[in-house]
Amino acid sequence: MLFASEPAREAEVRTRIEQALSESTLTSPDGIATHWRLLNAQPSTIRTSEAEHAEQLIQS
């Protein structure tokens, strides 16, 4: 997952994303539930294939 935030809020944003992903289920407005299992969450460097998307996030 790729996200952008102000440097001072990175830890807060990362924690909120990890908490949401740890819920492991999401029910859509039409009642269909999607389930998953979070295997790993850790910071990493931006991959070359993600660079354009990362730049778009920073600019928005």
Side-chain angles (χ1 to χ4, degrees), residues 3 9-22:
F3 72 91
R9 295 194 61 211
E10 179 186 352
E12 173 195 354
V13 172
R14 185 176 303 283
T15 298
R16 293 178 73 181
I17 291 169
E18 289 177 12
Q19 287 174 342
L21 290 174
S22 294

Side-chain angles (χ1 to χ4, degrees), residues 4 54-60:
E55 186 62 32
Q56 290 171 351
L57 289 173
I58 292 168
Q59 297 302 321
S60 61

